[in-house]
């Protein structure tokens, strides 16, 4: 049986210098983990920003497509309306021609006059406009020449008689005016030019 030496106590093991330094600075050991966490958060933030940009671009594209769709529908609606109105008015043109001929012969009187004027007012409100007058220059885009002659008193091809008035809706011609035209007599223009030259020489 051994005897304990008085005053001798067992001391715990003391870590070496490197182990002590590692144990004394736990914050330093945790620092790399904090950097990893920050990097992950920044990556998530970038992903969120990218996703937000993509969703915003998608929303803007959808809004633009919707606006284009609305404009296209409105344009098509107006076009369909114009076509329907033009079709209806085209069917009424023979009636308007009959009214015009009756008026020329003084037959638009009494109740018929009231009906005729009401019809003309309605078609005018729908945008129908009559055109074609005697003496205006011939325009092949709005006139249809049914008769041709020469006249000494015209200097260009001129509408000398309106055989059937033309009609338009806005800028669209529904029916050209059917007219009789007259052109200057052959050689008349040359005589006019010769007389002009003679006048200039006399003035010199």
């Amino acid at each position: 049986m051994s005897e304990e030496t008085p005053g001798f106590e067992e001391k715990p093991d003391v870590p070496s210098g490197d182990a002590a330094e590692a144990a004394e600075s736990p914050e330093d050991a945790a620092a790399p983990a904090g950097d990893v966490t920050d990097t992950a958060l920044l990556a998530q933030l970038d992903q969120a920003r990218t996703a937000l940009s993509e969703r915003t671009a998608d929303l803007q594209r959808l809004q633009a497509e919707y606006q284009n769709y609305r404009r296209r529908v409105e344009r098509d609606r107006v076009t369909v309306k114009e076509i329907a109105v033009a079709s209806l008015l085209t069917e009424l043109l023979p009636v308007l021609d009959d009214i015009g001929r009756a008026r020329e012969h003084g037959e638009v009187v009494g109740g018929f006059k009231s009906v005729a004027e009401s019809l003309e007012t309605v078609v005018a409100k729908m945008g129908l406009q009559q055109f074609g007058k005697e003496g205006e220059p011939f325009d092949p885009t709005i006139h249809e020449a049914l008769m041709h002659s020469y006249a000494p008193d015209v200097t260009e091809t001129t509408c000398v008689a309106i055989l059937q008035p033309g009609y338009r809706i806005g800028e669209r011609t529904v029916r050209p005016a059917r007219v009789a035209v007259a052109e200057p007599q052959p050689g008349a223009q040359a005589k006019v030019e010769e007389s002009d030259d003679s006048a200039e020489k006399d003035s010199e």
Side-chain angles (χ1 to χ4, degrees), residues 60-204:
Q60 291 174 344
R61 184 169 59 254
L62 287 174
Q63 288 178 335
E65 291 177 356
Y66 177 66
Q67 291 298 329
N68 291 336
Y69 168 76
R70 288 186 59 186
R71 283 193 290 266
R72 186 167 59 252
V73 169
E74 180 64 20
R75 185 173 60 250
D76 292 345
R77 186 184 68 81
V78 172
T79 301
V80 169
K81 179 181 178 181
E82 290 177 349
I83 292 174
V85 170
S87 178
L88 172 63
L89 294 178
T90 301
E91 295 296 327
L92 291 176
L93 294 185
V95 179
L96 296 175
D97 292 336
D98 291 340
I99 293 174
R101 284 190 288 268
R103 183 177 284 114
E104 290 176 357
H105 292 85
E107 297 176 358
V108 181
V109 294
F112 179 58
K113 178 179 180 182
S114 176
V115 172
E117 291 176 349
S118 297
L119 177 61
E120 290 172 340
T121 301
V122 169
V123 297
K125 287 182 179 179
M126 296 178 71
L128 187 67
Q129 298 175 342
Q130 180 178 309
F131 66 89
K133 294 181 179 180
E134 294 182 5
E136 64 185 6
F138 175 75
D139 183 351
T141 62
I142 60 174
H143 296 136
E144 180 181 352
L146 300 182
M147 299 177 63
H148 177 269
S149 63
Y150 294 98
D153 57 342
V154 297
T155 57
E156 60 179 342
T157 305
T158 305
C159 300
V160 293
I162 306 300
L163 306 178
Q164 195 175 53
Y167 289 94
R168 66 166 62 96
I169 301 174
E171 298 298 324
R172 178 182 178 183
T173 300
V174 178
R175 187 184 73 186
R178 292 166 180 170
V179 299
V181 299
E183 290 184 333
Q185 289 184 347
Q189 187 66 26
K191 292 180 181 180
V192 171
E193 292 177 355
E194 288 177 1
S195 62
D196 291 341
D197 293 338
S198 300
E200 289 179 0
K201 289 179 181 179
D202 294 340
S203 62
E204 291 176 357

Side-chain angles (χ1 to χ4, degrees), residues 31-55:
D35 291 342
V36 172
T37 303
D38 292 343
T39 303
L41 290 176
L42 289 175
Q44 291 179 356
L45 180 60
D46 290 339
Q47 290 178 354
R49 287 175 176 171
T50 301
L52 177 61
S53 298
E54 292 176 353
R55 300 299 180 272

